[in-house]
Amino acid sequence: MEYVFLVKIAFSMFQNTLAFAQAQDAKDPLKSYRTKFHIPKDAEGNEWLYFCGNSLGLQPKVTQEYIQQELKDWANLGVEGHFDAKNPWMPYHEFLTENMAKIVGAKPIEVVIMNTLTTNLHLLMVSFYQPTKTKYKIVIESDAFPSDRYAVESQLKFHGFDPKEGLLEWKPRKGEELLRMEDLETMLEAEGDEIALLMIGGVNYYTGQYLDIKKIAELGHAKGAMVGIDLAHGAGNIQPNLHDSNVDFAAWCTYKYLNSGPGSLAGLFVHEKHAHNKELNRFAGWWGHDKETRFNMRFDFNPIPGAESWQLSNPPILSMAAIKASLDMFDEVGMDALREKSETLTAYFEYLINEIDTDRIKIITPSNLAERGCQLSIQVKNADKSLHQKLIDRHIITDWREPDVIRCAPVPLYNTFQDVYRMVDELKKCL
Ligand SMILES: *Cc1c(COP(=O)(O)O)cnc(C)c1O
């Protein structure tokens, strides 16, 4: 699908009117996709303005059918469904791989869907965090998602290191919100010999800043460190080109921009350069073992080449069915078209917010398109949380993140220019 309108984005192309927003929607090649989602409604049947796809994506209407298919096959076939279901359960995860790989710019051998995000981070660190007495430190970004921080701290402790010494934070400068690559370089210059791993959020959950992960990989590798990326806020939002970025590993959930349902399974990426390394430490399970001899329980563990070998268990098919429903839709649209609409939609959102004459709010997300996805983080003066409540009272769903940010994500698959216009119009009234 080709996305034709507004190739370059300049605010002068926008107008602060409902008519302009309506006209943009009318020529949006992706406009039919909104009708393919369940949009939550208030008691009177009015659709909410939903800007929380960064936290939980909306439900595609086809998801029910995909799950029903598996329930039906289970009812009719019992255990035979592993081989005879319409989508046999034995290889079910393989049906997701190619589409998932395209979304994150990876080769199929590099990607698998399994477990949940934090679990995957741990399993990946078992393999890629191999500290020695002198090279053991882990770098994260200072406002990393709490679960990521707990995960790396507990890995340090597990290996006998004190997180106070072992955990290094890449911080924004005083008075700034965003990370600067020079500061990571400086840290690596000073302490690189002691750093074993960089574990960085590719798109920061708080500021929405999309970091140059290729550059991060280059800097980390130059100091002999492994590089892992958390893509929870990147997958389905930006195109991280994981293979070309040369990062060693990555993981992400599928319930945010990938619309696969609360607590759904996660993605895992291991770069092709590690695909055939059987010596890598790993926690093993039968689903990671060579498919030919998986059911012959008398063989020593023999990992499948690539990401699949990190699998432990046979996966929950009902959750995978929801993922399949979503990924089939992503494949139909393609990340290029999605990204193109996303850039324009978020730029329009930014333009409208900047038109409000107030010093009570400020966007902290980068305005450079290459450094953000669809999310804008609006910092509220004096951390006035009541503004967020006022939005909720008007059925505008955003989320508040301590200390002082409202996160809003216009998602290109189901949000419209009119959503954005109406949202900012209400925001203005709340201010
Ligand atoms: C959403 C999110 C998580 C959540 O982890 P789960 O294991 O899926 O509960 C972790 N890290 C980041 C960066 C996230 O955005």
Side-chain angles (χ1 to χ4, degrees), residues 36-66:
K36 298 180 196 280
F37 284 87
H38 292 288
I39 313 282
K41 296 185 177 75
D42 66 18
E44 281 85 52
N46 302 309
E47 286 178 350
W48 292 354
L49 290 173
Y50 193 81
F51 288 92
C52 249
N54 58 311
S55 185
L56 183 69
L58 292 179
Q59 184 187 138
K61 290 177 181 166
V62 291
T63 301
Q64 274 200 33
E65 280 168 40
Y66 279 66

Side-chain angles (χ1 to χ4, degrees), residues 286 289-302:
W286 73 322
H289 177 85
D290 174 33
K291 291 171 197 176
E292 299 301 316
T293 57
R294 184 185 282 154
F295 289 92
N296 186 335
M297 310 285 183
R298 301 211 158 78
F299 282 85
D300 286 339
F301 181 71
N302 181 22

Side-chain angles (χ1 to χ4, degrees), residues 116-118 145 147-148 205 230 232-233 253 255-256:
T116 46
L117 170 54
T118 309
F145 194 89
S147 197
D148 299 43
Y205 82 101
D230 185 320
H233 286 269
C253 46
Y255 49 78
K256 290 171 178 161

Side-chain angles (χ1 to χ4, degrees), residues 2 18 34 46 84 99 108 128 146 160 165 168 172 199 208 217 221 228-229 233 253 262 274 294 309 331 333 357 394:
E2 220 175 328
L18 181 59
R34 180 185 181 84
N46 302 309
D84 297 340
N99 284 348
F128 296 104
E165 256 181 58
L168 301 179
M199 242 285 295
H221 291 158
I229 299 292
H233 286 269
C253 46
H274 303 297
R294 184 185 282 154
S309 65
D331 193 50
V333 177
D357 185 20
R394 291 160 191 252

